[in-house]
Amino acid sequence: MSRRKKILALAATGIFALSLASCSADAGTSGGGGDDAAAGAECNVGISMPTRSLERWINDGEQLKTLLEDADCTVDLQYADNKTDQQISQIQNQVAGGAKILVVAAIDGEVLAPVLAEAKKQDATVIAYDRLINGTEDVDYYATFDNYKVGQLQGEFLQTELDLANATGPISIEPFAGSPDDNNAKFFFSGAWDVLLPYVESGVLVVPSGQSPASNDDWASIGIQGWASDKAQSEMDNRLSSFYTGDEKVDVVLSPNDSLAIGIIASLKSAGYAPGADYPLITGQDADKANVKAILDGEQSMTVWKDTRTLGEQVFTMIEEIVAGDEVTVNDTETYDNGVKVVPSFLLDPEVVVKDDVQSKLIDSGFIKASDVGL
Ligand code: GAL
């Protein structure tokens, strides 16, 4: 039976009404396998995305909205311009508007506990989307990509490309980290730095700017607020003008995602770098169109692709299960401790994309169109 038919069948047999009735009886319990599981929930979904200024979130929001509306769910999709108070009031409005399931990609994972407590009073089930929500009992599930593996893939890519295990160095690297308020950023950094730090300690890799965290815990010291391209560009400008005078050339830039990489590439260009022998290796994440183009043009070396369509599909499956009162599918019940509890999670696999993969992985799969990247 198609997914749409399954949800419609549930509606037809009035389970929605039934579940509504039973939900009010069970106020305050968290969903999935518990009381709510038996009771099910109304398919009225509030989706809260961090911003429209980064390509992926537009795709994520629109795609999940389409999946749900095709299944005749009620959907309210909101974007919060990377402003936490705006996200909080949008979620409050969604709860007041009757949302029974909240899908939240947090701007700042540390500030949502109060509004989720309100949501729980309305018996809503909460799914953290891509980014974990911390410091609260009131998040029921988490769906994301394996964030540590994203960084690991970036670190291992550099390790292989530079043959670090056999290199004597010194090879100059400039590391960057993501937004200090983004729970994912520490996982991205830790995954990469666990591969690269030993080479920094051995002297094979050197960090002329000194922006070299001694441990993963110091990741935020090189974090770029809001994942802003312009902030990454000016930070790179500073490092190049202060520490790469004369003939020194930067050999590698560890960029945790594509929006930072695009700023770093602009800074390198204005400093006279051009693809070719002296051009640095640059990492990325998200397969944003501008960065895929940069990879084709030799201005970026790789990106870690997270097929956000699969994340949307997985969250749709979770919602289906919550609506039906079924056990919610998760595949990790250990990794993501939000400081109050270990949140049952579903982790998806990221993968590396280099120039030769663009056609097969991104275009043939329909993730982007050839025309999006000038092909
Ligand atoms: C992270 C997300 C990345 C990237 C970044 C900036 O949380 O996992 O894919 O998009 O935010 O939005």
Side-chain angles (χ1 to χ4, degrees):
M1 178 189 278
S2 78
R3 310 169 89 173
R4 183 171 183 283
K5 288 210 180 79
K6 186 172 168 192
I7 286 205
L8 288 177
L10 279 168
T13 56
I15 285 185
F16 275 160
L18 169 66
S19 63
L20 269 182
S22 59
C23 278
S24 52
D26 302 332
T29 58
S30 63
D35 301 352
D36 284 1
E42 184 190 346
C43 197
N44 184 331
V45 183
I47 304 174
S48 174
M49 290 288 153
T51 176
R52 283 177 186 282
S53 65
L54 288 168
E55 187 174 304
R56 72 151 291 183
W57 302 114
I58 297 172
N59 300 337
D60 288 76
E62 295 302 333
Q63 182 208 286
L64 182 56
K65 182 168 183 273
T66 305
L67 283 171
L68 290 165
E69 287 182 338
D70 286 355
D72 282 330
C73 295
T74 305
V75 183
D76 176 50
L77 168 62
Q78 297 286 336
Y79 291 87
D81 303 332
N82 265 345
K83 298 190 186 82
T84 52
D85 52 1
Q86 186 173 326
Q87 185 165 46
I88 290 167
S89 64
Q90 287 173 339
I91 295 170
Q92 276 166 338
N93 295 340
Q94 288 173 333
V95 172
K100 285 298 173 205
I101 300 170
L102 293 173
V103 177
V104 180
I107 296 164
D108 181 342
E110 306 294 334
V111 301
L112 296 179
V115 71
L116 294 189
E118 282 176 43
K120 272 296 158 193
K121 291 195 193 101
Q122 305 301 323
D123 216 26
T125 300
V126 178
I127 301 173
Y129 186 96
D130 192 84
R131 297 169 173 179
L132 188 61
I133 298 169
N134 291 318
T136 173
E137 174 71 33
D138 298 325
V139 55
D140 300 291
Y141 306 103
Y142 180 35
T144 189
F145 290 85
D146 185 332
N147 299 303
Y148 181 85
K149 189 171 178 187
V150 167
Q152 208 175 25
L153 291 172
Q154 293 167 341
E156 288 166 357
F157 171 83
L158 296 176
Q159 179 175 249
T160 307
E161 287 296 307
L162 297 163
D163 189 16
L164 289 176
N166 302 306
T168 50
I171 298 167
S172 60
I173 182 170
E174 289 301 333
F176 285 73
S179 190
D181 53 8
D182 183 347
N183 193 70
N184 284 350
K186 70 180 174 200
F187 288 90
F188 300 149
F189 183 75
S190 305
W193 214 228
D194 283 350
V195 175
L196 300 171
L197 183 56
Y199 298 106
V200 174
E201 287 165 346
S202 70
V204 170
L205 287 174
V206 294
V207 187
S209 69
Q211 297 294 325
S212 177
S215 76
N216 294 344
D217 297 340
D218 304 333
W219 70 273
S221 65
I222 58 169
I224 301 291
Q225 186 58 39
W227 296 94
S229 302
D230 58 351
K231 290 194 175 82
Q233 181 170 357
S234 48
E235 170 60 22
M236 193 62 185
D237 288 346
N238 293 342
R239 296 188 194 187
L240 290 174
S241 58
S242 310
F243 303 100
Y244 293 84
T245 54
D247 300 339
E248 290 97 346
K249 289 278 186 197
V250 60
D251 300 315
V252 188
V253 181
L254 173 67
S255 173
N257 90 322
D258 284 352
S259 64
L260 300 191
I262 217 74
I264 290 160
I265 291 167
S267 170
L268 289 164
K269 276 187 187 167
S270 58
Y273 287 78
D278 277 347
Y279 193 82
L281 292 173
I282 303 176
T283 59
Q285 171 188 184
D286 290 330
D288 291 351
K289 295 184 183 85
N291 297 77
V292 174
K293 181 105 181 35
I295 290 173
L296 293 172
D297 296 344
E299 296 173 345
Q300 184 170 325
S301 317
M302 58 86 83
T303 189
V304 174
W305 179 41
K306 305 191 300 186
D307 189 345
T308 50
R309 296 169 297 183
T310 59
L311 181 57
E313 290 274 339
Q314 197 59 46
V315 170
F316 180 69
T317 299
M318 284 178 160
I319 292 171
E320 261 189 317
E321 291 163 341
I322 292 163
V323 167
D326 294 342
E327 196 77 22
V328 171
T329 308
V330 297
N331 64 7
D332 183 304
T333 53
E334 285 158 19
T335 307
Y336 286 99
D337 183 335
N338 78 350
V340 172
K341 67 180 193 180
V342 175
V343 182
S345 305
F346 198 100
L347 308 188
L348 293 152
D349 263 333
E351 54 183 297
V352 169
V353 164
V354 295
K355 190 170 184 168
D356 297 346
D357 298 324
V358 169
Q359 183 69 47
S360 56
K361 290 187 179 176
L362 302 181
I363 296 172
D364 295 350
S365 73
F367 185 76
I368 59 172
K369 296 193 291 297
S371 56
D372 290 333
V373 291
L375 291 179

